[in-house]
């Protein structure tokens, strides 16, 4: 194999950052490669990958992306890989090739993945299920599971033009389709540098990678570790689900920095983890009274920021038990915030206003959506100065010490369990099912917290709750499939003929929808009971608070939610050697479905 000429930084041309990298994280990571080539960069299961090995994987990825992508400007590359060292190597390789990363969550249903594919030119995947949602007319790179890393030679190549855009991340969209958020390298590099300094992240830190591969927090976790020479620790299977397994993994890996939502943190057993020095909590409102155990023993920081403004824009680095409520914090360096009234003018100090964000890190656009971009990112004149801003939809007030305090939403966007979603997307998915004439998605109280509920009008009497849930599971991420579904002959309407949300929220009992079985129901589901292994019945009861009394008992209707659903499936899959897809169980959340899946294996549980 030929060697490439050395560059000024001592790396070969195939190893050095290629393309326009000004303002990106690549130079910082390349510096760690030079200084710590033989130090572990990524721990993923039994795999230990050094900085040198990771950079070489990235080089292979870059060479193949540059040779394969068919796109003018900045080619967009979908990362169809599970979290781990290959995912990280692919991300860095895409950037080294001057391309744009499009992370995807492989747990999402194929219909949604096909929507995300519209914003990508090339796919990197392991074959199998990933290929089924990728368009036949677009190229794809398949990684051999036997090789475990991107194949191909370390070769010189010409960097693609561009290199200004880091990634496209997809968030819930009110039109029924996800919104593609375009984030520049400059904002991402700025944010990572600011966070590393603020949280005093060093090469001694071991950072947990807990976020789903499609959300911006995964970038914060990954790059926070690699830019300072630390170690990224990636859990697998049930270790990723908040609970005993995750706590054991955090302790075994001696993780020092972890990021969770309050919902995730609440699911962790309160056990001693002396190595954990920093918990960054974000994604939803934090109630310090609920988390006194963690606040008393660790540094707990509260972070706030929408994807459209790159990971986080505000941080309260030290939450105490006296913070009631927990503040969102002050803006990080380079960020400006404005609290505006309905006329887009600043409100007096101490008064609530619509939070607008400006400065470094704002998204470039929603790809292919100029009207939505113009509405969400207006240029407003404040104090005689024209400022490009992002309308967050959040209400806040400023305390005398400069910290912001969250005061709810202005628009209909919901934040449930750390997941921001547009109710209109859920409603549009429901209306796509023939026979549903009206739909309203809203938060509904359940056991001291809010869950997503869908009220649907089915005047024809042919649609069941199970059929509608199966339909939604085929279109939406599992986290946005409603926990509760209420069927009605009709929904209350406003004088303008639109669903009356206040009146619908008052409908606390299920509607008078038909009781017929959904299409495709099997005779096994008709019986009054079903035989499940004792441990599965115990897990179901722990997840829902109720027994799986009949074959058609609905997991979500009897108290389960998306987090408990993930936990239950991980337990079953690992114990019985199955691979039950999350979307399949979300579509048919019954004991009968589990019984059929368990009957397909002869493996004895351990």
């Amino acid at each position: 194999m030929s060697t490439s000429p050395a560059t000024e930084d001592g790396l070969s041309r195939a190893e050095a950052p290629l393309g326009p990298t000004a303002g990106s994280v690549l130079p910082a990571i390349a510096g760690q490669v030079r200084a710590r080539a033989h130090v572990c960069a990524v721990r993923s299961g039994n795999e230990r990958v050094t900085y040198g090995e990771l950079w070489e994987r990235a080089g292979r990825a870059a060479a193949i992306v540059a040779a394969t992508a068919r796109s003018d400007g900045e080619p967009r590359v979908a990362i169809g890989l599970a979290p781990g060292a290959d995912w990280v190597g692919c991300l860095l390789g895409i950037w080294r090739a001057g391309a744009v990363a499009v992370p995807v969550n492989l747990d999402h249903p194929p219909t949604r993945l096909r929507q995300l594919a519209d914003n990508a030119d090339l796919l990197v995947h392991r074959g199998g299920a990933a290929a089924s949602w990728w368009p036949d007319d677009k190229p794809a790179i398949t990684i051999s599971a036997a090789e475990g890393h991107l194949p191909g030679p370390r070769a010189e190549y010409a960097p693609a033009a561009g290199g200004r855009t880091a990634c496209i991340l997809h968030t819930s969209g009110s039109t029924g389709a996800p919104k593609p958020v375009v984030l520049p390298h400059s904002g991402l590099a700025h944010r990572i540098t600011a966070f590393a300094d603020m949280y005093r992240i060093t090469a001694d830190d071991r950072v947990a990678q807990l976020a789903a591969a499609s959300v911006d927090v995964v970038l914060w976790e990954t790059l926070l570790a690699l830019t300072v020479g630390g170690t990224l620790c990636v859990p697998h299977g049930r270790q990723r689900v908040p609970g005993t397994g995750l706590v054991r993994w955090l302790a075994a890996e001696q993780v020092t920095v972890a990021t969770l939502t309050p919902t995730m943190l609440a699911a962790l057993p309160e056990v001693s983890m002396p190595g954990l020095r920093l918990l960054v909590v974000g994604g939803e409102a934090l109630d310090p009274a609920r988390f006194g155990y963690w606040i008393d023993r660790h540094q707990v920081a509260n972070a706030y920021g929408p994807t459209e403004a790159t990971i986080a824009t505000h941080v309260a680095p030290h939450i105490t038990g006296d913070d009631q409520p927990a503040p969102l914090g002050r803006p990080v360096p380079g960020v400006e915030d404005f609290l505006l009234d309905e006329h887009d003018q600043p409100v007096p100090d101490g008064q609530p206003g619509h939070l607008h964000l400006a400065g470094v890190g704002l998204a470039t656009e929603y790809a292919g959506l100029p009207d939505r971009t113009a509405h969400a990112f207006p240029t407003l004149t404040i104090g005689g100065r024209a400022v490009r801003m992002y309308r967050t939809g959040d209400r806040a007030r400023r305390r005398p010490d400069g910290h912001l305090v969250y005061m709810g939403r202005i628009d209909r966007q919901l934040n449930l369990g750390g997941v921001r979603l547009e109710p209109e997307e859920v409603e549009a998915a429901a209306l796509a099912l023939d026979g549903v004439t009206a739909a309203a998605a809203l938060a509904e109280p359940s056991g001291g917290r809010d869950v997503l509920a869908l009220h649907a009008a089915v005047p024809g009497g042919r649609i069941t709750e199970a059929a509608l849930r199966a339909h939604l599971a085929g279109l939406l991420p599992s986290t946005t499939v409603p926990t509760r579904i209420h069927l009605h002959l009709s929904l209350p309407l406003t004088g303008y003929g639109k669903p009356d949300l206040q009146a619908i929220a008052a409908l606390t009992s299920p509607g008078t929808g038909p009781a017929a079985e959904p299409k495709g129901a099997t005779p096994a589901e008709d019986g009054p009971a079903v035989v499940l292994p004792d441990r599965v019945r115990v897990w179901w009861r722990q997840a829902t608070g109720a027994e799986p009394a009949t074959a058609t008992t609905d997991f979500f209707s009897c108290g389960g939610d998306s987090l408990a659903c993930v936990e239950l499936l991980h337990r079953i899959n690992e114990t019985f050697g199955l691979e039950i897809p999350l979307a399949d169980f979300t579509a048919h959340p019954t004991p009968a479905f589990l019984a059929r899946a368990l009957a397909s294996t002869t493996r004895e549980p351990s």
Side-chain angles (χ1 to χ4, degrees):
M1 180 172 61
S2 62
T3 58
S4 301
T7 62
E8 292 179 359
D9 61 13
L11 300 177
S12 74
R13 291 191 186 281
E15 294 171 316
L18 297 179
T21 58
S24 87
V25 297
L26 286 177
I29 297 175
Q32 298 300 334
V33 174
R34 292 193 298 274
R36 304 170 62 81
H38 301 294
V39 174
C40 182
V42 182
R43 296 168 61 93
S44 178
N46 295 323
E47 189 176 30
R48 305 290 182 266
V49 180
T50 68
Y51 273 88
E53 292 167 341
L54 182 65
W55 198 250
E56 186 159 332
R57 292 191 189 193
R60 292 192 178 100
I64 296 175
V65 166
T68 309
R70 303 193 303 260
S71 175
D72 296 331
E74 299 175 314
R76 302 163 299 176
V77 185
I79 308 177
L81 302 172
D86 282 332
W87 189 95
V88 178
C90 185
L91 175 71
L92 300 182
I94 289 169
W95 289 344
R96 288 178 62 184
V100 179
V102 185
V104 299
N105 186 341
L106 297 179
D107 288 333
H108 287 175
T111 300
R112 184 177 180 88
L113 292 176
R114 280 191 285 272
Q115 291 176 317
L116 272 57
D118 291 340
N119 292 299
D121 307 301
L122 170 67
L123 170 69
V124 177
H125 70 118
R126 283 199 183 279
S132 66
W133 55 268
W134 185 250
D136 293 336
D137 60 347
K138 293 184 178 182
I141 303 170
T142 302
I143 297 177
S144 167
E147 293 181 35
H149 57 77
L150 280 162
R154 291 171 56 191
E156 291 189 69
Y157 59 92
R164 294 177 298 277
T165 302
C167 55
I168 298 176
L169 299 172
H170 291 79
T171 64
S172 180
S174 60
T175 62
K179 293 179 294 188
V181 182
V182 180
L183 295 180
H185 272 294
S186 56
L188 183 59
H190 175 275
R191 239 11 136 250
I192 296 301
T193 301
F195 292 146
D197 180 65
M198 179 181 303
Y199 293 126
R200 299 179 181 177
I201 308 298
T202 71
D204 294 328
D205 277 308
R206 298 160 75 94
V207 181
Q209 194 282 291
L210 304 179
S214 59
V215 300
D216 56 358
V217 177
V218 74
L219 300 174
W220 137 264
E221 295 167 329
T222 301
L223 302 177
L224 192 68
L226 299 183
T227 54
V228 301
T231 303
L232 182 70
C233 301
V234 185
H236 292 278
R238 280 189 61 205
Q239 295 170 340
R240 299 190 70 86
V241 181
T244 303
L246 175 56
V247 165
R248 289 175 177 170
W249 176 84
L250 290 169
E253 292 292 312
Q254 298 179 316
V255 166
T256 63
V257 180
T259 302
L260 304 96
T261 65
T263 295
M264 296 170 66
L265 186 58
L268 296 187
E270 294 180 346
V271 299
S272 175
M273 286 188 287
L276 184 63
R277 70 171 184 85
L278 173 64
L279 276 168
V280 180
V281 182
E284 57 184 327
L286 172 64
D287 179 6
R290 295 182 61 199
F291 302 107
Y293 178 89
W294 303 104
I295 290 172
D296 292 343
R297 291 163 178 78
H298 307 276
Q299 178 187 351
V300 175
N302 194 29
Y304 164 85
T307 300
E308 286 87 345
T310 306
I311 305 175
T313 60
H314 291 68
V315 173
H318 293 275
I319 295 297
T320 71
D322 295 330
D323 287 316
Q324 294 293 342
L328 300 180
R330 299 186 183 95
V332 301
V335 172
E336 290 186 276
D337 59 22
F338 301 87
L339 298 177
L340 306 182
D341 61 20
E342 63 273 18
H343 304 295
D344 290 333
Q345 293 302 306
V347 300
D349 289 344
Q351 296 298 309
H354 183 177
L355 177 58
H356 288 61
L357 301 172
V360 181
L362 288 194
T364 306
E365 62 176 334
Y366 293 127
L369 301 173
D371 291 341
R372 291 189 63 81
T373 299
H375 174 75
F377 297 90
T379 297
L380 303 177
T381 300
I382 305 293
R385 180 168 60 105
V387 184
R388 181 176 184 262
M389 303 184 184
Y390 170 64
R391 303 182 190 271
T392 67
D394 290 327
R395 288 171 57 83
R397 64 175 175 84
R398 198 181 310 277
R399 300 193 320 195
D401 61 2
H403 284 263
L404 292 185
V405 176
Y406 177 72
M407 300 189 69
R409 292 289 301 177
I410 287 176
D411 56 20
R412 287 191 62 202
Q413 187 183 84
L414 299 175
N415 187 341
L416 302 174
V419 176
R420 288 183 179 271
L421 61 92
E422 301 283 357
E424 293 94 335
E425 180 176 10
V426 180
E427 293 160 0
L431 291 170
L433 179 62
D434 186 28
V436 176
T437 59
L442 63 164
E444 182 174 294
S446 176
R449 60 189 178 88
D450 285 344
V451 299
L452 181 63
L454 175 71
H455 293 259
V458 288
R462 297 188 305 273
I463 295 175
T464 65
E465 178 182 335
L468 180 52
R469 184 180 299 282
H471 167 77
L472 296 172
L475 297 176
L476 301 170
S478 60
T479 51
T480 59
V481 174
T483 298
R484 294 178 177 175
I485 295 178
H486 305 301
L487 301 182
H488 310 271
L489 294 177
S490 62
L491 293 183
L493 302 179
T494 67
Y496 294 97
K498 297 181 179 181
D500 186 331
L501 298 181
Q502 287 188 327
I504 291 170
L507 301 174
T508 56
S509 60
T512 56
E517 287 297 321
K519 295 179 181 179
T522 64
E525 292 178 315
D526 294 334
V530 68
V531 177
L532 289 175
D534 288 342
R535 67 179 66 190
V536 175
R537 298 183 70 88
V538 170
W539 296 336
W540 180 291
R541 186 169 60 250
Q542 291 172 342
T544 65
E547 289 286 344
T550 70
T552 56
T553 298
D554 187 283
F555 179 85
F556 297 100
S557 294
C558 68
D561 58 22
S562 59
L563 194 62
C565 176
V566 172
E567 170 73 7
L568 175 65
L569 283 192
H570 273 304
R571 283 179 163 180
I572 293 173
N573 287 339
E574 288 194 358
T575 302
F576 295 92
L578 295 172
E579 295 184 0
I580 303 174
L582 182 60
D584 288 0
F585 181 64
T586 302
H588 304 286
T590 65
F593 173 84
L594 293 179
R596 291 196 300 274
L598 288 163
S600 68
T601 180
T602 58
R603 170 177 162 177
E604 292 295 324
S606 57

